[in-house]
mmCIF file with all atom_site columns, all heavy atoms in Angstrom:
data_model
loop_
_atom_site.group_PDB
_atom_site.id
_atom_site.type_symbol
_atom_site.label_atom_id
_atom_site.label_alt_id
_atom_site.label_comp_id
_atom_site.label_asym_id
_atom_site.label_entity_id
_atom_site.label_seq_id
_atom_site.pdbx_PDB_ins_code
_atom_site.Cartn_x
_atom_site.Cartn_y
_atom_site.Cartn_z
_atom_site.occupancy
_atom_site.B_iso_or_equiv
_atom_site.pdbx_formal_charge
_atom_site.auth_seq_id
_atom_site.auth_comp_id
_atom_site.auth_asym_id
_atom_site.auth_atom_id
_atom_site.pdbx_PDB_model_num
ATOM 1  N N   . TYR A 1 185 ? 31.640 -59.258 -14.670 1.00 0.00 ? 1352 TYR A N   1
ATOM 2  C CA  . TYR A 1 185 ? 31.083 -60.043 -13.570 1.00 0.00 ? 1352 TYR A CA  1
ATOM 3  C C   . TYR A 1 185 ? 29.696 -60.538 -13.934 1.00 0.00 ? 1352 TYR A C   1
ATOM 4  O O   . TYR A 1 185 ? 29.113 -60.131 -14.935 1.00 0.00 ? 1352 TYR A O   1
ATOM 5  C CB  . TYR A 1 185 ? 31.030 -59.207 -12.286 1.00 0.00 ? 1352 TYR A CB  1
ATOM 6  C CG  . TYR A 1 185 ? 32.385 -58.980 -11.691 1.00 0.00 ? 1352 TYR A CG  1
ATOM 7  C CD1 . TYR A 1 185 ? 33.020 -57.756 -11.820 1.00 0.00 ? 1352 TYR A CD1 1
ATOM 8  C CD2 . TYR A 1 185 ? 33.045 -59.997 -11.018 1.00 0.00 ? 1352 TYR A CD2 1
ATOM 9  C CE1 . TYR A 1 185 ? 34.283 -57.547 -11.294 1.00 0.00 ? 1352 TYR A CE1 1
ATOM 10 C CE2 . TYR A 1 185 ? 34.304 -59.796 -10.481 1.00 0.00 ? 1352 TYR A CE2 1
ATOM 11 C CZ  . TYR A 1 185 ? 34.925 -58.572 -10.623 1.00 0.00 ? 1352 TYR A CZ  1
ATOM 12 O OH  . TYR A 1 185 ? 36.170 -58.377 -10.099 1.00 0.00 ? 1352 TYR A OH  1
ATOM 13 N N   . LEU A 1 186 ? 29.218 -61.360 -13.074 1.00 0.00 ? 1353 LEU A N   1
ATOM 14 C CA  . LEU A 1 186 ? 27.894 -61.951 -13.239 1.00 0.00 ? 1353 LEU A CA  1
ATOM 15 C C   . LEU A 1 186 ? 26.985 -61.384 -12.152 1.00 0.00 ? 1353 LEU A C   1
ATOM 16 O O   . LEU A 1 186 ? 27.353 -61.381 -10.963 1.00 0.00 ? 1353 LEU A O   1
ATOM 17 C CB  . LEU A 1 186 ? 28.046 -63.462 -13.087 1.00 0.00 ? 1353 LEU A CB  1
ATOM 18 C CG  . LEU A 1 186 ? 26.894 -64.297 -12.547 1.00 0.00 ? 1353 LEU A CG  1
ATOM 19 C CD1 . LEU A 1 186 ? 25.711 -64.270 -13.500 1.00 0.00 ? 1353 LEU A CD1 1
ATOM 20 C CD2 . LEU A 1 186 ? 27.359 -65.732 -12.351 1.00 0.00 ? 1353 LEU A CD2 1
ATOM 21 N N   . MET A 1 187 ? 25.803 -60.904 -12.561 1.00 0.00 ? 1354 MET A N   1
ATOM 22 C CA  . MET A 1 187 ? 24.826 -60.459 -11.568 1.00 0.00 ? 1354 MET A CA  1
ATOM 23 C C   . MET A 1 187 ? 23.904 -61.642 -11.240 1.00 0.00 ? 1354 MET A C   1
ATOM 24 O O   . MET A 1 187 ? 23.168 -62.124 -12.099 1.00 0.00 ? 1354 MET A O   1
ATOM 25 C CB  . MET A 1 187 ? 23.980 -59.295 -12.091 1.00 0.00 ? 1354 MET A CB  1
ATOM 26 C CG  . MET A 1 187 ? 22.995 -58.772 -11.043 1.00 0.00 ? 1354 MET A CG  1
ATOM 27 S SD  . MET A 1 187 ? 21.740 -57.633 -11.694 1.00 0.00 ? 1354 MET A SD  1
ATOM 28 C CE  . MET A 1 187 ? 22.691 -56.197 -12.060 1.00 0.00 ? 1354 MET A CE  1
ATOM 29 N N   . ASN A 1 188 ? 23.984 -62.097 -10.005 1.00 0.00 ? 1355 ASN A N   1
ATOM 30 C CA  . ASN A 1 188 ? 23.066 -63.133 -9.528  1.00 0.00 ? 1355 ASN A CA  1
ATOM 31 C C   . ASN A 1 188 ? 21.814 -62.413 -9.056  1.00 0.00 ? 1355 ASN A C   1
ATOM 32 O O   . ASN A 1 188 ? 21.888 -61.497 -8.241  1.00 0.00 ? 1355 ASN A O   1
ATOM 33 C CB  . ASN A 1 188 ? 23.704 -63.902 -8.377  1.00 0.00 ? 1355 ASN A CB  1
ATOM 34 C CG  . ASN A 1 188 ? 24.917 -64.681 -8.829  1.00 0.00 ? 1355 ASN A CG  1
ATOM 35 O OD1 . ASN A 1 188 ? 24.793 -65.784 -9.339  1.00 0.00 ? 1355 ASN A OD1 1
ATOM 36 N ND2 . ASN A 1 188 ? 26.105 -64.116 -8.678  1.00 0.00 ? 1355 ASN A ND2 1
ATOM 37 N N   . LEU A 1 189 ? 20.666 -62.841 -9.548  1.00 0.00 ? 1356 LEU A N   1
ATOM 38 C CA  . LEU A 1 189 ? 19.452 -62.063 -9.366  1.00 0.00 ? 1356 LEU A CA  1
ATOM 39 C C   . LEU A 1 189 ? 18.297 -62.957 -8.914  1.00 0.00 ? 1356 LEU A C   1
ATOM 40 O O   . LEU A 1 189 ? 18.128 -64.068 -9.420  1.00 0.00 ? 1356 LEU A O   1
ATOM 41 C CB  . LEU A 1 189 ? 19.111 -61.432 -10.722 1.00 0.00 ? 1356 LEU A CB  1
ATOM 42 C CG  . LEU A 1 189 ? 17.948 -60.463 -10.805 1.00 0.00 ? 1356 LEU A CG  1
ATOM 43 C CD1 . LEU A 1 189 ? 18.275 -59.173 -10.056 1.00 0.00 ? 1356 LEU A CD1 1
ATOM 44 C CD2 . LEU A 1 189 ? 17.635 -60.147 -12.272 1.00 0.00 ? 1356 LEU A CD2 1
ATOM 45 N N   . GLY A 1 190 ? 17.522 -62.437 -7.980  1.00 0.00 ? 1357 GLY A N   1
ATOM 46 C CA  . GLY A 1 190 ? 16.355 -63.196 -7.532  1.00 0.00 ? 1357 GLY A CA  1
ATOM 47 C C   . GLY A 1 190 ? 15.636 -62.445 -6.435  1.00 0.00 ? 1357 GLY A C   1
ATOM 48 O O   . GLY A 1 190 ? 16.016 -61.325 -6.066  1.00 0.00 ? 1357 GLY A O   1
ATOM 49 N N   . TYR A 1 191 ? 14.599 -63.068 -5.910  1.00 0.00 ? 1358 TYR A N   1
ATOM 50 C CA  . TYR A 1 191 ? 13.897 -62.476 -4.768  1.00 0.00 ? 1358 TYR A CA  1
ATOM 51 C C   . TYR A 1 191 ? 14.639 -62.857 -3.497  1.00 0.00 ? 1358 TYR A C   1
ATOM 52 O O   . TYR A 1 191 ? 14.925 -64.039 -3.278  1.00 0.00 ? 1358 TYR A O   1
ATOM 53 C CB  . TYR A 1 191 ? 12.450 -62.967 -4.725  1.00 0.00 ? 1358 TYR A CB  1
ATOM 54 C CG  . TYR A 1 191 ? 11.584 -62.214 -5.706  1.00 0.00 ? 1358 TYR A CG  1
ATOM 55 C CD1 . TYR A 1 191 ? 11.360 -62.707 -6.982  1.00 0.00 ? 1358 TYR A CD1 1
ATOM 56 C CD2 . TYR A 1 191 ? 11.031 -60.989 -5.357  1.00 0.00 ? 1358 TYR A CD2 1
ATOM 57 C CE1 . TYR A 1 191 ? 10.591 -62.000 -7.901  1.00 0.00 ? 1358 TYR A CE1 1
ATOM 58 C CE2 . TYR A 1 191 ? 10.269 -60.274 -6.272  1.00 0.00 ? 1358 TYR A CE2 1
ATOM 59 C CZ  . TYR A 1 191 ? 10.047 -60.781 -7.536  1.00 0.00 ? 1358 TYR A CZ  1
ATOM 60 O OH  . TYR A 1 191 ? 9.303  -60.069 -8.437  1.00 0.00 ? 1358 TYR A OH  1
ATOM 61 N N   . PRO A 1 192 ? 14.963 -61.864 -2.664  1.00 0.00 ? 1359 PRO A N   1
ATOM 62 C CA  . PRO A 1 192 ? 15.747 -62.181 -1.463  1.00 0.00 ? 1359 PRO A CA  1
ATOM 63 C C   . PRO A 1 192 ? 14.956 -62.985 -0.452  1.00 0.00 ? 1359 PRO A C   1
ATOM 64 O O   . PRO A 1 192 ? 13.770 -62.757 -0.269  1.00 0.00 ? 1359 PRO A O   1
ATOM 65 C CB  . PRO A 1 192 ? 16.110 -60.810 -0.895  1.00 0.00 ? 1359 PRO A CB  1
ATOM 66 C CG  . PRO A 1 192 ? 15.332 -59.792 -1.624  1.00 0.00 ? 1359 PRO A CG  1
ATOM 67 C CD  . PRO A 1 192 ? 14.686 -60.433 -2.815  1.00 0.00 ? 1359 PRO A CD  1
#
Side-chain angles (χ1 to χ4, degrees):
Chain A
Y1352 288 104
L1353 151 65
M1354 183 192 290
N1355 294 277
L1356 185 68
Y1358 280 94

